[in-house]
Amino acid sequence: MIRVLNISHINQLAERLGASVFDVWHAMVRQLTNVLLVFRVLLGFQWLSKPAVVQVVVKQIYFSGIMNLMWVVILAMSVGALMVYSLVTFARQVGDMSWVSVMIHSLLIQEVAPFIVVLLLLTRSGVAIVTEIGSMHVRGEHMTLQSVGASIEEFLFLPRLIAFALSGLILTLVFASVSVWVGGVIVSLSKLMPLSEYLFQLNQYGGLATLFVVLIKSTVYPMVTCIILLDQGSRVGIDPNQLPVRTTTGVYSSLVAVFFLEVTWIVAGLFV
Amino acid sequence: MMVQLESGVKAGSALNTSVHLCWRDIENESGEIPAGYIAQGEGMHITLNYPMQFAFVNSCFPRFVTREGAKVWLQKQDQQLFAGECEFTQHVAFVLRHKGLMANLSMRENLMLPFACEADQQKVAMAKEKLPQVAEFLGLEKQLERQAGERSPYTHALVSLGHCLLKQASFMVVQEVDFGLSSERLQLFRDKLLQVIQGLQPGILYLSASNENPFGLQFEKHWTVDSDQTDGVSGIW
């Protein structure tokens, strides 16, 4: 009896595991299809000649970028002050001030800045994306759009993807600049390190390599989260009860995807 | 095979009947709509259940447009315009039940929606010029600047009719638009629909779950599509 129960339990587990693998596979195929369709529209450049699409792009950039700016600056000031102060204190204890430059570039600018910006985009604009696209599906508005010949990819997906990528890039650059400068001012005011030395140390490391990493992470991470959120919004269907479910799933999946990309980036860095 | 109005007026005389709206067999879980066509000016009423109505309508909006995969297309002499292509939706207007407008746009933007993704600015300018006249005809002239929000099926239907007028459609696919309208509004919408039909003389494909003649239109072609499911009643899906 115990043996039979064990086998049925194992079978159930295997079924669940198999179903999960299929779910993940289907989700990846759907999202890849979305990416291909959106990039086809993006690279066709016809959207630039359509004022309605350009208007949606501008509105989305305003919503995701400009309206997030204040929060990014506030967070950058706090994080910059705390991190730079801690790093300089640590470097003084170790007795090697070159650590300051290495840590600021490799930790604050390359890791923390893109990650916090993507978190902000995800929690504010990302949730709005899922609920907006989901509500449109509940009301059947995706069908209204299709019935008048408007492409979902062009009218709904592309503007949000462009807004996420551009906002991600600009907000990350703002975050990095503000946090580094505020950190410098704080350590010089607290007499831990003169500002001139801080700036000198900062120039010892990084350069184009840091810029390249920031450029990639600050555009790719938001784009990946946006694709996942758009997919979740589209899956709401006609059931309004799916709105909170899809929103939560979208946010969790995006976080997992960002962590996965971060790990991939680190692992790839070990081999390059 | 022309659309015959209740009053005895025949729409569709002296029409360019070389334009046809054609479709292949369209299947879903509950049955199969056989292949068919209508010419401009002709009318056809297909009685079929709600899921199959949507199977047909969804075939008109494929995500990937391929010559081989297209189930619905417009035959213009030697030229074929496939569903999903811009030119197809320029000629075919859809009046779908409660799916005529978008809540977060103003009524003006909603009426101009077919031109939202139009690259040809000359067409957009012409539509903008016609818009006040169309809005007046529909009785929406005082609501143009208001945000649409949640609206009745009647307003959805009116806006769809507005799309049809603004783009001067050659065909109309009408899906159970009479469902859920009060008798007063049904009469109002019927009058407007008949005027549009007489003015534009489009080919009409009417999809509904009921065998009754919608809006007093008597179509010469009438198909009934049997379904395997019992939930053929409108609204139960």
Side-chain angles (χ1 to χ4, degrees), chain A residues 151-168:
Chain A
S151 143
I152 300 283
E153 285 78 26
E154 192 173 45
F155 206 72
L156 297 182
F157 289 7
L158 178 73
R160 284 160 180 84
L161 200 68
I162 291 176
F164 255 57
L166 266 181
S167 306

Side-chain angles (χ1 to χ4, degrees), chain A residues 141 144-145 148, chain B residues 99-116 131 140 144 146-149 151 155-156 159-160 162-163 166:
Chain A
E141 289 179 354
T144 308
L145 273 177
V148 295
Chain B
K99 285 179 179 58
L101 49 79
M102 298 185 68
N104 65 341
L105 299 182
S106 69
M107 293 302 276
R108 181 187 294 278
E109 288 169 324
N110 268 303
L111 281 167
M112 288 295 291
L113 205 56
F115 303 91
L131 182 73
L140 296 172
L144 283 178
R146 282 191 205 157
Q147 192 179 354
R151 295 281 178 155
T155 315
H156 278 262
V159 172
S160 298
H163 294 162
L166 284 171

Side-chain angles (χ1 to χ4, degrees), chain A residues 33-34 37 49-53 55 132 136 139-141 143-150 153-155 157, chain B residues 54 57-58 61 63-64 89 94 96 98-104 109 113-114 116-119 121 150 163 167:
Chain A
T33 312
N34 283 342
L37 287 171
S49 61
K50 299 174 182 176
V53 180
Q55 200 184 341
E132 196 178 7
M136 290 176 81
R139 289 194 292 256
E141 289 179 354
M143 211 169 223
T144 308
L145 273 177
Q146 288 170 317
S147 74
V148 295
E153 285 78 26
E154 192 173 45
F155 206 72
F157 289 7
Chain B
F54 271 89
V57 171
N58 274 324
F61 317 135
R63 208 160 178 213
F64 301 96
T89 38
F94 292 87
L96 309 178
H98 214 267
K99 285 179 179 58
L101 49 79
M102 298 185 68
N104 65 341
E109 288 169 324
L113 205 56
C117 288
E118 177 62 67
Q121 291 310 304
E150 290 295 335
H163 294 162
K167 63 183 182 186

Side-chain angles (χ1 to χ4, degrees), chain B residues 18 20 36 40 61 63 82 85 94 103 112 114-115 120 126 137 139 143 155 166-167 176 185 190 193 205 213 230 236:
Chain B
S18 59
H20 294 83
Q40 188 178 357
F61 317 135
R63 208 160 178 213
F82 294 99
E85 290 178 343
F94 292 87
M112 288 295 291
F115 303 91
D120 186 349
M126 277 171 67
F137 168 72
Q143 300 180 41
T155 315
L166 284 171
K167 63 183 182 186
E176 262 193 356
R185 287 194 156 178
R190 178 187 180 276
L193 181 68
L205 182 63
N213 287 332
T230 51
I236 300 172

Side-chain angles (χ1 to χ4, degrees), chain B residues 20-65:
Chain B
H20 294 83
L21 177 69
C22 315
W23 60 93
R24 291 187 184 147
D25 296 341
I26 296 169
E27 286 177 53
N28 81 342
E29 311 84 55
S30 59
E32 182 181 317
I33 306 167
Y37 67 89
I38 51 166
Q40 188 178 357
E42 283 185 349
M44 182 171 189
H45 178 198
I46 308 182
T47 305
L48 68 178
N49 70 3
Y50 201 65
M52 291 188 69
Q53 290 169 28
F54 271 89
F56 185 90
V57 171
N58 274 324
S59 301
C60 299
F61 317 135
R63 208 160 178 213
F64 301 96
V65 186

